[in-house]
Amino acid sequence: MLESDLPQGALGRIRRAFTYENEEWKRRTDAGHPQGLLRPTFRTYARDDDSGEVRVARGASRELEAVIGSAVEWLDDTGTSPVAWPPYTGELWPFQLRAASIAAVSVQGVVLGPCGSGKTEVMLAAAARTGQRTLVVVDTKDLQRQWADRFRLRYDSRPGDLGIVGGMESEPDYDWEWAVRGAPGRVLTIATVQTLRSRPEVHDAHGCLLADEVHVWAAPTFDEAASTSRARHRIGGTATLRRADGLVKIITDTFGPVLYEITAEELEAAGRRISVDVKLVRTSFRFDMKPRWRGGRIRTAGWDEVLDAMAADPSRHGLVMETALRAAREGPTVVLSERRGYAFRIARELKAAGVRTHSLFGGGAAKAAACLRCGNVPETEEAGKRCGACGAPRLSRSEHNAAVLRMIDAGDVRAAVGTSVADKGMDSPRLSRAVVALPSAGGRGKPVSARLIQQVGRLSRPAEGKLDAILYYVHDDKMGFGRDREKAMLIEFGTLS
């Protein structure tokens, strides 16, 4: 729309309504910490100074009319790309069918569901119901592999139906006779958001956009991916829209409202979820976070400094190892650390204690992960492309993580130690225990983080012989943030052991 066509004062109302403060930027500024690449504000509108054109994110269309105070005549500039999807060979649960049907006819919006609710299945089913060539956007190779595996498992596809762009595209051993390498597929394309920045033409000829883990899309890279897409259908999926920076509106402005929420009660009624007991393992850890002279200026301690102090504290570490060993005796276990170096230490000590252990890592750490042939855990993160003990070549990160999860499901691995990979792409129903060795950051008075909700959700997946699930949370209740965290966890999970 043109600014000249707007009612008097409407542009100012649009500016105020669609500009959002970044709470994380404010927290860092108030604490004297560097902001890095964080922005103080985000906007879901834009004004072209030359033409006077005003644009607002498409998911905020109804809110825009309320802000302006009058109806808006919309020009549909979206595109379609009809295609015949291959037959579906699975069976959707009733709530999945409802969610997929609503998402398909609603054109845009978000599907919420706990881990284990089959959001990937729902989103693929919704895309198939639109009859559109579909682009799936993810931000890790692990998620890319999961989507590819799910499509191949559930749809009677032919070679060329699937295209892989970015991420897994660099893996020479993938089945490239079945999937198109580095180009869109005939029916489905799975691309990493990082690659789309340099190859925006991939968006062309797709009539449906699927966004996995859409709660992370309040960032410039993702915003660019969404704004470049002209796909008529736009569907996001996630376990929660919760964000520590308060920028949830960025997501709903971009994708539209929540269309359907799959509840824990629906999953339990269908026998697809078991309850998870959250147990606090209390420490005596203390750390002075008050403002003082640090690094040439007065500031409070940064979260990285707190985590480093936690990992270095002998008493706290002893409690972490005691808890990890106990969990591994009870069932297949994942130990979660916010520090990669600390995860290496935990993995080495578990292995030394006789626990069959492997590592799961995010980022570029696969070269330094435990060797899948001999189990050797490198002493440092600077390991080479081959295992220093047996000389076996190391796999790519996503290949390594997928292999470790298969070993857990087969009973060949008792414990896995991971970093951020546990938040995205960790799908192993046999896991019955988790140990949160180092906590993720969270603001005072804020609800439980999306990361912790996902970590609990990973354990809720049912499996044959799996009778219960426990998450052990190493809890620093002598710290102010620890006491705030306990209150938030009580609100979220109801009871704590």
Side-chain angles (χ1 to χ4, degrees):
M1 72 192 83
L2 294 176
E3 182 182 353
S4 58
D5 295 333
L6 292 172
Q8 185 176 3
L11 181 60
R13 294 196 297 273
I14 290 173
R15 183 182 296 113
R16 291 189 294 273
F18 299 108
T19 300
Y20 307 103
E21 288 190 1
N22 187 338
E23 295 178 13
E24 180 63 20
W25 184 91
K26 186 175 186 302
R27 278 197 294 271
R28 291 195 185 188
T29 301
D30 292 345
H33 300 156
Q35 294 89 3
L37 297 177
L38 290 178
R39 297 179 179 180
T41 60
F42 275 82
R43 300 185 306 176
T44 54
Y45 82 95
R47 178 186 178 278
D48 188 293
D49 291 336
D50 295 329
S51 66
E53 183 181 37
V54 179
R55 297 186 297 274
V56 176
R58 56 180 269 185
S61 55
R62 291 183 181 177
E63 187 174 348
L64 176 63
E65 292 184 343
V67 169
I68 293 177
S70 61
V72 176
E73 183 177 348
W74 296 98
L75 173 65
D76 188 351
D77 192 36
T78 60
T80 61
S81 182
V83 69
W85 272 65
Y88 179 66
T89 60
E91 183 177 354
L92 293 173
W93 306 321
F95 57 83
Q96 290 179 322
L97 182 59
R98 288 193 295 272
S101 300
I102 292 171
V105 300
S106 299
V107 182
Q108 62 185 20
V110 177
V111 175
L112 294 182
C115 293
S117 60
K119 289 185 295 296
T120 302
E121 200 98 3
V122 168
M123 294 169 72
L124 282 173
R129 279 162 172 73
T130 69
Q132 297 293 320
R133 192 184 191 192
T134 297
L135 174 64
V136 180
V137 182
V138 298
D139 64 337
T140 70
K141 284 203 286 187
D142 299 289
L143 286 175
Q144 195 176 37
R145 182 180 292 275
Q146 276 195 19
W147 277 86
D149 291 347
R150 181 63 59 173
F151 178 69
R152 190 167 191 175
L153 175 67
R154 295 302 197 194
Y155 290 85
D156 188 16
S157 58
R158 298 173 296 160
D161 280 350
L162 174 70
I164 301 290
V165 177
M168 289 168 54
E169 180 186 335
S170 63
E171 296 184 4
D173 298 330
Y174 193 69
D175 186 0
W176 296 118
E177 292 185 1
W178 175 68
V180 180
R181 186 177 189 177
R186 189 164 44 242
V187 175
L188 186 72
T189 305
I190 310 173
T192 58
V193 66
Q194 298 87 345
T195 301
L196 288 176
R197 294 193 72 179
S198 58
R199 295 160 66 179
E201 70 278 2
V202 174
H203 281 288
D204 297 342
H206 289 95
C208 180
L209 172 71
L210 301 182
D212 197 9
E213 304 287 3
V214 76
H215 65 277
V216 305
W217 277 61
T221 303
F222 293 97
D223 178 65
E224 187 176 326
S227 60
T228 305
S229 172
R230 292 183 57 248
R232 176 162 299 172
H233 297 266
R234 182 180 290 187
I235 304 167
T238 184
T240 175
L241 285 178
R242 190 169 298 169
R243 290 182 59 93
D245 56 16
L247 293 175
V248 173
K249 279 291 293 175
I250 302 290
I251 299 164
T252 54
D253 281 1
T254 302
F255 284 88
V258 173
L259 300 173
Y260 192 93
E261 181 172 2
I262 300 170
T263 65
E265 290 74 21
E266 285 176 310
L267 285 175
E268 290 173 1
R272 303 307 305 171
R273 184 182 188 273
I274 63 175
S275 61
V276 179
D277 189 10
V278 179
K279 293 181 178 287
L280 299 184
V281 180
R282 300 180 187 275
T283 78
S284 58
F285 175 79
R286 295 178 184 274
F287 186 79
D288 180 14
M289 297 183 67
K290 295 178 181 178
R292 60 183 176 85
W293 191 261
R294 305 172 192 266
R297 55 198 172 97
I298 294 178
R299 62 175 178 83
T300 60
W303 189 247
D304 288 345
E305 295 169 277
V306 177
L307 292 179
D308 289 341
M310 287 179 177
D313 185 270
S315 174
R316 192 185 190 284
H317 175 67
L319 197 56
V320 167
M321 292 308 303
E322 178 185 322
T323 305
L325 289 168
R326 173 186 173 184
R329 288 193 297 269
E330 295 172 345
T333 297
V334 61
V335 183
L336 306 168
S337 165
E338 288 292 305
R339 277 288 180 270
R340 191 180 296 166
Y342 191 46
F344 273 91
R345 179 183 176 186
I346 294 171
R348 286 195 297 270
E349 294 185 17
L350 283 175
K351 188 171 184 295
V355 178
R356 300 191 306 277
T357 304
H358 271 296
S359 46
L360 292 166
F361 287 112
K367 291 192 300 183
C371 175
L372 291 179
R373 177 188 291 178
C374 70
N376 176 61
V377 180
E379 292 296 323
T380 71
E381 298 182 46
E382 304 303 325
K385 294 183 178 180
R386 292 185 174 272
C387 173
C390 71
R394 297 191 181 279
L395 302 175
S396 71
R397 177 177 60 83
S398 64
E399 290 174 321
H400 173 94
N401 290 340
V404 171
L405 293 175
R406 288 194 299 269
M407 293 168 74
I408 291 173
D409 287 338
D412 298 329
V413 167
R414 192 64 171 181
V417 184
T419 52
S420 61
V421 71
D423 303 315
K424 299 176 187 175
M426 190 181 73
D427 185 6
S428 177
R430 279 184 55 84
L431 283 172
S432 65
R433 298 292 186 271
V435 179
V436 180
L438 292 178
S440 56
R444 182 177 294 273
K446 292 293 180 182
V448 168
S449 67
R451 179 170 295 179
L452 182 56
I453 291 173
Q454 287 187 317
Q455 290 164 351
V456 170
R458 301 297 180 197
L459 296 182
S460 69
R461 300 173 189 263
E464 185 178 353
K466 182 175 174 179
L467 302 178
D468 63 357
I470 300 174
L471 182 137
Y472 294 102
Y473 188 93
V474 181
H475 182 55
D476 306 287
D477 60 355
K478 300 295 189 294
M479 302 292 294
F481 66 80
R483 293 188 290 273
D484 286 344
R485 188 70 52 85
E486 184 170 351
K487 294 176 184 176
M489 291 169 73
L490 279 169
I491 293 172
E492 181 69 34
F493 304 121
T495 59
L496 301 173
S497 301

